[in-house]
């Protein structure tokens, strides 16, 4: 059964790497702002509770599993990328990479400086996400694009 | 007909309309009218579906569903619907006539009201006209104050204790009196009055704290920014911001001042337990002042309203106020009638706010009215008030300025001469009255003063001490409400207001004038950073069409900034070197809608369709617009104003 669906306008296609495993995900920009309280001074984690990112207001470099769990409903196997391309064409292209193994967030999203909101321990980079992917992942993406 | 039913069902599914409204109004509307309303409130999924349906039907030619050719009436219905959807605080329904609606349906006014749960319809239209119907003499107002003097006895002990405490804290006697009176009137502590004054005094600084342009409002982020960057601001501004941040109750009261509901609070501090949007617009401050000032005229009648208004249910309903006003119109002063009408029209009776606050308000009324009289009549006073008058009359200049000028700091610096005249005459009126051994001189010398001077002297120090606060509230509204080209109209309105005189009338007038800002506000300026080098590039989504119109590519989230070029430049410099900034003038009403509708970014999944607040730590003017709002933006952009910012 296909996971693919139309990507919503608030969602940013991203790749997440945790312990060597890669996932395709459709988080919102806010969900990619790893240190949200620093980004939004009015954010009150106690008030918001689990309504945002499963209560993970700040995503530390060791929070990979918690991050994936918080985004569970929008996290997909990397192999499903081709299905999203089939439905969304170019809009499915990953624009952000959150690599917990390397403690690095790479964003190619021009309109917002997501890379500047990572928080302690992270390295934020404004670059083409495809430039920081291992060949194996690129191969999966390329395969997904070519089969659609 | 089946299609119409489907449309209505779609609206109901999206909670766009109260069912009562939908059931009565929608069947009478044309599809075109529904589309118009949809354009104003497109932020629901059901609206989007509706739009698709209508677009398809438009292409095929629509059947005529309109049962009446009386388009004007239907337009009124449209406005009513818009007002309903807009909710409390909207003035979009200003021109809606309930009477016309009743006529349309062939039912009574009350029946229409009950059926539609009318909330925001003719809240202002009647009040403006009503102002011209009154011309109470200064003598009549004085007589009223004399009658109210009897209540002062209960208030003296409270005043004395508060004033004594303030003097112990280092305040002069006159300042202590002013602070006490204002605190009573506004259900504040004197310290809160000082915090409020500090907030108003530095409002413009806070508004522009993060650089760029102003947005006629102060956010929590603005205040925190000031506190976190003390080197960039004057020490008193930093201290004022810190005080506001440290006083959540006051913030909440101001933040919720525009609401007419859920203000039940036994101690009279309505709205003090919860925040609204954390954005303090001038409108919040003005509405707060208006509610408190207006209340002291009405509070004394609460028991009678409850007894005579109709059902003895302990709730002061609109019907109660209307009935009481009808029965006692001949006995009430013009001020009181005006106050009652505003209560009814602006629906301040709603949710029992007056009922909940009547004790505090009655005290405020007694203190204010009595104090004003005592000060106005000089040595005729007795007891504490009598003693106070001598001191205040001898040296009360600073006190009055302290009470009033904090409100007026920004209000009289623009092009309008009559604004200056209003302030000068008002203050002169007080000085003449207080500085000559009693306000009698001021009262007897009314003819020598301008209209505004009569306002000040006619009401004695009520106008000045609580007082100029009222004037300030008015002026706050004027400052941002009136476009220079509208000054003549506003001047006329002021003349009508002067017929009534007094704080309530002034604040009411301010309220009416304030509504004018919806008529022709200055356009806002949109900025968007776009460009770059592929693949690290933004689509140049906003462009300038062949006729100078705004063109927008795509329907994905569109991030824009309003009135804050500094933020756009900073983003380019710090994050996207080489990008370009495109700008367009945009209808200010659209920007106001964006601000009013926007939610924090983390709520994106919980709030489908609405704009998102972006980069709140950097600016309070960046937003992410979603598909429906992008369409509205294109319509709101002014042709021929697009340009690339150098």
């Amino acid at each position: 059964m296909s996971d693919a669906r139309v990507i919503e306008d608030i969602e940013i296609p991203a790749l997440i790497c945790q312990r060597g495993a890669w996932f395709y995900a459709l988080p919102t920009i806010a969900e990619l702002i790893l240190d949200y309280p620093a980004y939004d001074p009015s954010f009150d984690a106690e008030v918001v509770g689990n309504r945002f990112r499963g209560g993970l207001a700040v995503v530390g470099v060791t929070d990979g599993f918690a991050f994936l769990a918080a985004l569970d409903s929008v996290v997909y196997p990397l192999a499903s990328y081709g299905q999203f391309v089939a439905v969304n064409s170019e809009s499915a292209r990953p624009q952000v990479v959150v690599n917990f193994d390397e403690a690095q967030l790479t964003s190619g999203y021009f309109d917002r400086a997501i890379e500047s909101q990572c928080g302690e321990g992270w390295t934020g980079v404004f670059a083409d996400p495809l430039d920081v992917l291992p060949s194996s992942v690129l191969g999966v993406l390329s395969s997904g694009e070519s089969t659609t | 007909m089946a299609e119409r039913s489907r449309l209505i069902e779609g609206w109901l599914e999206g909670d766009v309309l109260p069912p009562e409204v939908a059931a009565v109004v929608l069947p009478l509307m044309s599809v075109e009218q529904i589309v118009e309303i949809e354009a104003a409130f497109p932020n629901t999924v059901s609206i989007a579906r509706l739009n698709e349906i209508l677009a398809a039907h438009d292409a095929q030619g629509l059947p005529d569903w309109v049962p009446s050719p009386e388009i004007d009436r239907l337009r009124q219905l449209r406005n009513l619907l818009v007002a309903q959807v807009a909710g409390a605080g909207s003035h979009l329904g200003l021109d809606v006539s309930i009477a016309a609606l009743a006529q349309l349906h062939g039912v009574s006014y009350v029946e229409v009201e009950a059926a539609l749960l009318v909330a925001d319809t003719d809240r202002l239209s009647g009040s403006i006209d009503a102002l011209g119907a009154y011309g109470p003499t200064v003598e009549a107002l004085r007589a009223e104050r004399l009658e109210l003097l009897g209540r002062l006895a209960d208030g003296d002990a409270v005043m004395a204790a508060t004033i004594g405490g303030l003097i112990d804290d280092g305040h002069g006697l006159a300042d202590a009196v002013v602070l006490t009176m204002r605190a009573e009137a506004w259900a504040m502590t004197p310290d809160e009055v000082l915090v409020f004054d500090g907030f108003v005094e530095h409002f413009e600084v806070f508004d522009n704290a993060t650089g760029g342009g102003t947005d006629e409002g102060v956010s929590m982020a603005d205040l925190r920014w000031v506190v976190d960057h003390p080197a960039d601001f004057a020490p008193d501004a930093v201290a004022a911001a810190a005080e506001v941040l440290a006083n959540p109750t006051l913030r909440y009261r101001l933040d919720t001042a525009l609401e007419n509901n859920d203000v039940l609070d036994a101690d009279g501090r309505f709205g003090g337990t919860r925040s609204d949007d954390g954005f303090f617009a001038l409108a919040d401050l003005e509405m707060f002042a208006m509610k408190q000032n207006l209340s002291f005229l009405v509070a004394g009648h609460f028991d009678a309203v409850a007894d005579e208004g109709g059902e003895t249910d302990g709730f002061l309903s609109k019907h109660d106020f209307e009935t009481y006003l009808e029965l006692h119109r001949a006995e009430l002063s013009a001020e009181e009638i005006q106050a009652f009408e505003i209560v009814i029209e602006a629906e301040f009776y709603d949710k029992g706010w007056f009922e909940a606050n009547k004790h505090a308000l009655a005290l405020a009324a007694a203190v204010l009215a009595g104090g004003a009289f005592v000060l106005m009549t000089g040595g005729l006073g007795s007891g504490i008030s009598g003693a106070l008058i001598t001191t205040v009359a001898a040296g009360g200049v600073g006190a009055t300025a302290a009470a009033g000028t904090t409100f007026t700091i920004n209000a009289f610096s623009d092009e309008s001469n009559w604004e200056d005249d209003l302030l000068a005459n008002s203050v002169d009126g007080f000085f003449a009255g207080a500085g000559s051994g009693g306000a009698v001189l001021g009262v007897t010398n009314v003819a020598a003063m301008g209209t505004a001077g009569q306002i000040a002297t006619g009401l004695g120090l009520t106008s000045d001490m609580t007082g100029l606060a009222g004037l300030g509230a008015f002026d706050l509204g004027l400052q941002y409400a009136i476009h220079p080209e509208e000054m003549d109209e506003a001047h006329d309105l002021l003349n009508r207001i002067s017929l009534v005189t007094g704080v309530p009338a002034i604040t009411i007038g301010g309220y009416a004038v304030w509504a004018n800002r919806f008529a022709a506000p200055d356009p806002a300026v949109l900025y968007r950073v776009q460009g770059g080098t592929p693949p690290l590039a933004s689509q140049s989504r906003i462009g300038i069409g062949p006729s100078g119109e705004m063109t927008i590519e795509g329907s994905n989230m569109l991030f824009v900034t309003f009135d804050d070029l500094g933020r756009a430049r900073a983003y380019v410099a710090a994050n996207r070197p080489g990008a370009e900034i495109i700008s367009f003038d945009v209808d200010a009403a659209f920007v106001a809608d964006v601000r009013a509708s926007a939610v924090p970014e983390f709520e994106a999944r919980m709030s489908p369709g609405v704009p998102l607040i972006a980069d709140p730590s950097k600016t309070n003017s960046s937003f992410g617009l979603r598909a429906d709002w992008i369409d509205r933006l294109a319509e709101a952009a002014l042709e021929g104003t697009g340009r690339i910012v150098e």
Side-chain angles (χ1 to χ4, degrees):
Chain A
M1 179 178 167
S2 172
D3 290 319
R5 59 173 173 79
V6 174
I7 298 173
E8 295 185 29
D9 60 353
I10 57 172
E11 294 176 328
I12 306 294
L15 296 175
I16 301 171
C17 177
Q18 163 69 359
R19 302 274 178 91
W22 286 83
F23 303 89
Y24 183 73
L26 297 172
T28 64
I29 290 175
E31 288 162 348
L32 287 168
I33 294 174
L34 301 182
D35 187 351
Y36 196 85
Y39 163 78
D40 182 351
S42 69
F43 182 81
D44 188 331
E46 290 186 7
V47 173
V48 175
N50 291 333
R51 290 189 296 133
F52 172 62
R53 208 158 54 193
L56 200 61
V58 177
V59 181
V61 295
T62 60
D63 292 330
F65 287 123
F67 184 68
L68 287 167
L71 300 183
D72 182 62
S73 62
V74 292
V75 173
Y76 307 91
L78 183 63
S80 67
Y81 174 65
Q83 298 165 11
F84 281 92
V85 173
V87 175
N88 300 277
S89 64
E90 278 293 306
S91 297
R93 188 181 195 271
Q95 299 191 57
V96 175
V97 173
V98 184
N99 190 329
F100 283 89
D101 293 352
E102 298 180 2
Q104 176 167 307
L105 181 146
T106 305
S107 173
Y109 190 64
F110 189 91
D111 283 2
R112 301 290 301 283
I114 298 171
E115 70 279 5
S116 299
Q117 309 291 341
C118 296
E120 190 174 344
W122 287 94
T123 298
V125 178
F126 178 57
D128 185 350
L130 300 189
D131 289 345
V132 299
L133 297 176
S135 56
S136 58
V137 176
L138 285 172
V140 174
L141 298 184
S142 175
S143 172
E145 290 173 354
S146 63
T147 56
T148 56
Chain B
M1 292 301 290
E3 192 62 41
R4 178 169 50 184
S5 298
R6 268 180 44 198
L7 294 176
I8 295 172
E9 286 171 8
W11 283 61
L12 292 174
E13 286 173 7
D15 291 326
V16 177
L17 295 175
E20 297 86 348
V21 177
V24 175
V25 175
L26 274 181
L28 298 172
M29 300 185 69
S30 71
V31 170
E32 287 180 344
Q33 288 172 314
I34 295 174
V35 171
E36 281 188 64
I37 295 166
E38 182 276 337
F41 300 94
N43 53 346
T44 71
V45 173
S46 66
I47 291 293
R49 290 203 307 270
L50 179 62
N51 206 16
E52 293 172 5
I53 295 170
L54 293 174
H57 278 260
D58 282 337
Q60 299 166 8
L62 286 167
D64 182 10
W65 289 340
V66 182
S68 167
E70 297 173 277
I71 298 304
D72 287 343
R73 287 185 181 176
L74 288 177
R75 191 172 300 284
Q76 288 181 332
L77 285 174
R78 186 276 311 274
N79 290 340
L80 170 64
L81 196 54
V82 170
Q84 286 285 349
V85 177
S90 167
H91 295 268
L92 293 173
L94 191 63
D95 61 343
V96 173
S97 166
I98 303 299
L101 191 58
Q103 185 178 357
L104 180 69
H105 287 278
V107 297
S108 72
Y109 185 102
V110 174
E111 286 173 312
V112 172
E113 188 180 65
L116 300 182
L117 303 175
V118 172
D120 288 313
T121 52
D122 58 344
R123 64 194 311 177
L124 289 177
S125 57
S127 66
I128 296 172
D129 291 338
L131 283 170
Y134 302 107
T137 64
V138 172
E139 287 74 18
L141 295 174
R142 269 189 239 125
E144 181 187 339
R145 293 288 172 265
L146 183 61
E147 188 268 330
L148 290 171
L149 177 62
R151 304 182 193 176
L152 184 61
D154 292 335
D156 260 353
V158 177
M159 284 180 63
T162 307
I163 292 169
L166 289 168
I167 291 173
D168 290 343
D169 290 341
H171 290 273
L173 176 60
D175 284 336
V177 171
V178 169
L179 275 174
T180 302
M181 286 187 167
R182 293 180 62 208
E184 292 287 351
W186 287 10
M188 289 180 176
T189 66
D191 284 343
E192 286 176 327
V193 173
L194 293 172
V195 173
F196 180 84
D197 284 353
F199 189 21
V200 174
E201 181 178 354
H202 298 288
F203 190 92
E204 195 169 76
V205 173
F206 298 157
D207 182 11
N208 199 29
T210 57
T214 62
D215 56 9
E216 296 177 345
V218 175
S219 67
M220 291 292 290
D222 288 332
L223 295 170
R224 290 196 183 99
W225 182 274
V226 173
V227 173
D228 292 342
H229 299 80
D232 297 338
F233 300 93
D236 56 344
V238 176
E243 290 287 347
V244 175
L245 287 173
N247 198 319
T249 302
L250 176 60
R251 287 203 318 270
Y252 294 164
R253 294 181 69 191
L254 299 176
D255 198 10
T256 56
L258 282 171
E259 297 182 8
N260 276 1
N261 55 9
D262 194 23
V263 291
L264 294 172
D265 196 338
D267 66 358
R269 300 160 65 83
F270 70 87
T273 58
R274 60 192 171 76
S275 64
D276 182 23
D277 56 4
F279 184 80
F280 308 97
L282 284 169
D284 289 323
L285 306 187
E286 184 197 13
M287 185 58 77
F288 177 81
M290 178 188 176
K291 281 183 175 177
Q292 296 288 12
N293 284 332
L294 182 67
S295 66
F296 88 82
L297 279 174
V298 182
H301 297 277
F302 282 155
D303 289 341
V305 170
D307 288 344
E308 302 173 23
E311 295 181 25
T312 53
D313 53 5
F315 185 79
L316 297 175
S317 66
K318 179 178 183 179
H319 178 72
D320 293 336
F321 276 97
E322 287 178 330
T323 302
Y324 183 83
L325 179 59
E326 192 63 30
L327 290 173
H328 296 277
R329 181 178 289 272
E331 306 156 23
L332 298 173
S333 70
E335 280 179 294
E336 290 168 324
I337 293 172
Q338 186 69 61
F340 268 86
E341 290 181 340
I342 292 299
V343 166
I344 293 167
E345 291 165 5
E347 302 185 354
F348 290 146
Y349 57 84
D350 198 18
K351 308 294 184 185
W353 178 69
F354 279 103
E355 173 65 16
N357 295 284
K358 66 179 180 180
H359 298 300
L361 299 179
L363 174 62
V367 170
L368 291 170
F373 176 81
V374 170
L375 292 168
M376 189 173 69
T377 54
L380 296 178
S382 59
I384 288 176
S385 298
L388 288 175
I389 181 61
T390 303
T391 307
V392 174
V397 173
T400 303
T405 52
T406 48
F407 284 86
T408 61
I409 50 169
N410 296 321
F412 298 100
S413 57
D414 293 326
E415 306 88 332
S416 165
N417 290 331
W418 69 264
E419 286 182 274
D420 294 329
D421 188 48
L422 174 62
L423 176 63
N425 282 333
S426 299
V427 177
D428 287 347
F430 165 64
F431 291 168
S436 304
V440 176
L441 175 60
V443 174
T444 56
N445 199 28
V446 167
M449 300 176 181
T451 300
Q454 294 179 35
I455 294 173
T457 54
L459 282 180
L461 296 183
T462 301
S463 287
D464 292 304
M465 300 180 73
T466 56
L468 279 181
L471 287 171
F474 177 42
D475 300 327
L476 275 173
L478 290 176
Q479 183 203 1
Y480 69 89
I482 301 179
H483 198 265
E485 285 80 0
E486 299 173 315
M487 272 304 170
D488 287 343
E489 181 184 344
H491 200 169
D492 290 342
L493 179 60
L494 179 71
N495 289 334
R496 298 169 72 181
I497 294 167
S498 71
L499 294 174
V500 184
T501 77
V503 175
I506 291 170
T507 49
I508 291 164
Y511 183 38
V513 173
W514 170 62
N516 287 347
R517 76 187 179 121
F518 291 96
D522 290 331
V525 182
L526 170 144
Y527 301 101
R528 173 174 161 80
V529 176
Q530 55 189 22
T533 304
L536 297 177
S538 165
Q539 298 172 338
S540 293
R541 294 183 61 186
I542 293 183
I544 303 172
S547 301
E549 78 277 16
M550 176 186 282
T551 60
I552 304 176
E553 295 291 331
S555 58
N556 288 336
M557 183 84 74
L558 180 71
F559 287 98
V560 295
T561 299
F562 298 112
D563 293 326
D564 192 349
L565 177 59
R567 171 55 192 156
R569 288 190 192 280
Y571 184 70
V572 171
N575 303 107
R576 302 294 183 260
E580 70 177 20
I581 301 172
I582 190 169
S583 79
F584 258 96
D585 287 358
V586 179
D587 182 0
F590 169 77
V591 178
D593 282 349
V594 171
R595 290 188 185 283
S597 305
V599 299
E601 202 158 12
F602 75 85
E603 294 186 14
R605 291 197 189 277
M606 299 166 257
S607 307
V610 304
L612 301 179
I613 299 168
D615 290 327
S617 64
K618 303 291 196 307
T619 179
N620 52 27
S621 297
S622 288
F623 300 93
L625 303 181
R626 295 155 91 166
D628 290 335
W629 289 84
I630 292 173
D631 294 340
R632 289 185 59 190
L633 170 62
E635 295 173 3
L638 306 183
E639 281 188 11
T641 62
R643 66 189 180 94
I644 304 299
V645 177
E646 297 297 332

